[in-house]
Amino acid sequence: MSRLDIVIFGASGYTGKFVVRELAQISNREKLTWAIAGRSKQKLDQVLNSLSTELGIDLSHIEKIIVDINDEQSVTIMCQKTRLLINCVGPYRFYGEQVVQKCVENKTHHLDVSGEPEYLERIQLKFDEKALENQVFVIGSCGFDSVPADLGVIFTQENFQNDLNSVESFLTFNFGNKSASFNYATWESAVYGFASSKHLGDIRRQIFKTRLPKPKFKLPLRTNKFGYFYDNDLDKYCMDFMGSDKSVVQRTQYFNYNVLNQRPIQYRPYFTISNAFYTFVTILWGLSFSLLAKYKFGRSLLLKYYRFFSFGLASKKETTIDQMKGISFKMLFKGIGFGQKLDNRESESDCQPDQYIITELSGQEPGYVSTSKIVLNCAIVLLSESDKIKINGGVLTPGAAFRNTSLIDRLKSDGFDFKIIRNDSIAKSNL
């Protein structure tokens, strides 16, 4: 029996519904066969019926696969039905590993939209070797976490004619006249993701047995002892972005160094804040969140009183697609590099890096609208262009998997804007 192209697991969850909505609109154009999966047939029916009414598309023929995450046989059957599984069931720290295991065993590609570094790196540690052996791709963080950061660095690097030394990214959210908010599931994942970060050191020592060479010109830490700095060029306050972007980009740099023989790039992500008051509030929130998330009792408080601790931003109410219109994001990438191409991945220039490149990536509402578009474009590219990936399988980052594919071009055609603002390497090479 031939397999379906895509199954969306967790289709009745908040993120899953957005992914199903997007797939329903593009499946005929892309000639994709697909199904949805979850615990409750009633909820799966509701998803398809609601979207059929909203979109005017008959979805009655779409198969519904009943899966209990604690029932290995049902997970196995789901994986055997499809070439590629999009896993939208989080927190992935609790529910992700068993799904990845069955995908690898049954030679099914696995994508997720996780922003949990400990989970992502643990999956690489446990399943990379077997996935490569079975020629299966397991690619995490295929949503807003962390495709824009990973591909943004690649886009910046590929448009710089010489060798880049470092890249900083600056993330800005634009809510227009809307109030900022996010779903409770995102809050829950953040709580448990922060709590599990204490395991990262041990995992990384096992994954990255060969250290990257120390750069001669180290990217300076810009934040002060309170965790922020003011950027005069942007006219904004900036703080470290604590999502999965740095972890994912760093793993891509290891892949580039070990597989592609490329010189690694230093990377540091920030997010911007409009004024000093909100910067002060963010510092206080960060201190309280990080302290409470370390301990079981604190985590229970964060989850029980999520409205209070998130300043009213986290909500269990579902935001509609219309309510998200006008919300957008922008990531600015500031790279600095050398005036020449270096000989090999170990080479260091004797001159200070002095050529700049500034690029920008922007898109629609990041958490759900952009995420659903990104993960589906990743899925389509993986199904059709896996031969362009430098190895035949494994647990990879989006940057490692998709750098030589059409993914950036597809995203450009799907509402994302990639542009170059400044590029000294071209200007000076033409002198």
Side-chain angles (χ1 to χ4, degrees):
M1 184 177 69
S2 61
R3 292 190 176 198
L4 297 162
D5 292 318
I6 296 173
V7 166
I8 300 172
F9 181 41
S12 61
Y14 190 67
T15 301
K17 289 177 183 177
F18 280 90
V19 180
V20 175
R21 185 182 187 278
E22 185 69 20
L23 183 53
Q25 296 177 92
I26 67 171
S27 58
N28 286 339
R29 183 186 74 215
E30 300 289 348
K31 299 180 180 178
L32 296 169
T33 57
W34 59 286
I36 61 175
R39 286 183 300 173
S40 167
K41 181 179 183 301
Q42 180 181 3
K43 290 184 178 180
L44 295 177
D45 284 332
Q46 289 174 352
V47 170
L48 294 180
N49 291 338
S50 175
L51 287 174
S52 292
T53 301
E54 176 193 348
L55 302 175
I57 301 173
D58 181 12
L59 300 175
S60 60
H61 63 287
I62 299 299
E63 182 180 358
K64 298 170 284 292
I65 305 169
I66 309 305
V67 181
D68 185 337
I69 197 74
N70 297 311
D71 180 358
E72 288 191 15
Q73 184 62 23
S74 69
V75 178
T76 297
I77 291 172
M78 172 181 66
C79 295
Q80 291 173 342
K81 284 179 175 285
T82 183
R83 298 168 60 200
L84 183 149
L85 184 77
I86 297 177
N87 185 2
C88 299
V89 179
Y92 292 93
R93 179 190 182 192
F94 300 125
Y95 307 120
E97 184 175 324
Q98 51 268 55
V99 180
V100 172
Q101 179 179 346
K102 293 305 177 184
C103 278
V104 172
E105 290 175 357
N106 292 281
K107 300 184 178 181
T108 299
H109 301 312
H110 179 281
L111 303 185
D112 65 48
V113 293
S114 171
E116 305 166 37
E118 186 273 339
Y119 159 79
L120 294 164
E121 297 187 25
R122 172 163 45 89
I123 291 301
Q124 181 173 342
L125 176 63
K126 289 191 172 185
F127 297 105
D128 183 56
E129 186 176 331
K130 187 64 177 178
L132 178 58
E133 179 185 328
N134 284 358
Q135 297 188 352
V136 171
F137 290 103
V138 177
I139 308 171
S141 55
C142 286
F144 176 71
D145 293 319
S146 287
V147 169
D150 215 7
L151 289 191
V153 171
I154 289 172
F155 177 77
T156 303
Q157 180 184 22
E158 290 184 342
N159 282 281
F160 190 78
Q161 291 190 352
N162 302 316
D163 274 308
L164 271 181
N165 183 62
S166 61
V167 175
E168 296 172 308
S169 65
F170 299 83
L171 171 63
T172 301
F173 297 109
N174 179 12
F175 293 97
N177 59 358
K178 310 290 178 63
S179 298
S181 67
F182 51 85
N183 189 260
Y184 172 81
T186 301
W187 175 259
E188 184 182 23
S189 292
V191 170
Y192 287 118
F194 188 91
S196 64
S197 62
K198 61 186 178 182
H199 304 297
L200 278 170
D202 182 58
I203 293 172
R204 287 170 179 170
R205 282 188 289 272
Q206 296 179 72
I207 294 176
F208 308 124
K209 295 179 180 179
T210 302
R211 300 293 296 272
L212 293 177
K214 290 185 178 180
K216 184 176 181 179
F217 302 101
K218 191 172 182 179
L219 178 64
L221 180 66
R222 300 180 66 183
T223 52
N224 58 27
K225 63 181 181 180
F226 300 107
Y228 76 92
F229 66 95
Y230 185 80
D231 189 281
N232 290 312
D233 293 334
L234 298 176
D235 192 23
K236 292 180 184 296
Y237 293 87
C238 304
M239 299 184 71
D240 290 318
F241 183 62
M242 303 305 292
S244 59
D245 288 357
K246 187 174 182 179
S247 163
V248 171
V249 172
Q250 183 73 354
R251 288 167 57 212
T252 299
Q253 298 310 308
Y254 270 95
F255 180 88
N256 293 346
Y257 180 77
N258 292 317
V259 178
L260 304 182
N261 290 315
Q262 288 189 354
R263 186 179 183 278
I265 298 170
Q266 301 170 77
Y267 172 69
R268 189 165 285 129
Y270 302 105
F271 70 97
T272 68
I273 306 174
S274 59
N275 58 54
F277 173 75
Y278 286 119
T279 301
F280 176 71
V281 170
T282 304
I283 292 171
L284 291 181
W285 173 83
L287 289 172
S288 62
F289 180 90
S290 59
L291 178 64
L292 291 171
K294 288 181 180 179
Y295 306 102
K296 185 177 180 180
F297 176 71
R299 292 192 291 274
S300 67
L301 290 177
L302 289 171
L303 296 175
K304 183 175 182 179
Y305 302 105
Y306 62 93
R307 293 289 290 174
F308 174 78
F309 286 108
S310 70
F311 296 131
L313 298 181
S315 174
K316 291 186 177 180
K317 295 181 180 179
E318 295 193 357
T319 306
T320 67
I321 193 75
D322 286 335
Q323 291 172 316
M324 293 183 178
K325 288 180 179 178
I327 299 175
S328 62
F329 76 93
K330 178 176 70 176
M331 291 188 79
L332 192 75
F333 296 85
K334 291 184 175 182
I336 183 169
F338 304 100
Q340 76 280 349
K341 273 283 188 184
L342 302 176
D343 293 334
N344 57 62
R345 67 179 188 174
E346 309 291 345
S347 297
E348 287 286 356
S349 174
D350 292 327
C351 301
Q352 285 270 2
D354 63 353
Q355 291 193 356
Y356 288 86
I357 180 170
I358 300 175
T359 64
E360 183 182 286
L361 191 167
S362 57
Q364 301 174 60
E365 187 281 327
Y368 307 101
V369 177
S370 285
T371 287
S372 59
K373 290 177 178 292
I374 292 170
V375 71
L376 284 169
N377 277 292
C378 288
I380 293 166
V381 169
L382 181 57
L383 288 173
S384 59
E385 301 180 37
S386 61
D387 59 311
K388 296 180 181 178
I389 304 175
K390 291 298 181 180
I391 57 178
N392 294 324
V395 180
L396 304 181
T397 62
F402 299 122
R403 71 172 300 138
N404 294 318
T405 69
S406 65
L407 181 57
I408 287 180
D409 289 334
R410 289 189 62 94
L411 292 175
K412 287 179 180 178
S413 300
D414 206 7
F416 296 85
D417 186 25
F418 292 74
K419 63 182 179 182
I420 301 168
I421 297 173
R422 172 180 173 180
N423 193 347
D424 291 354
S425 70
I426 292 177
K428 293 190 177 183
S429 67
N430 289 334
L431 292 178

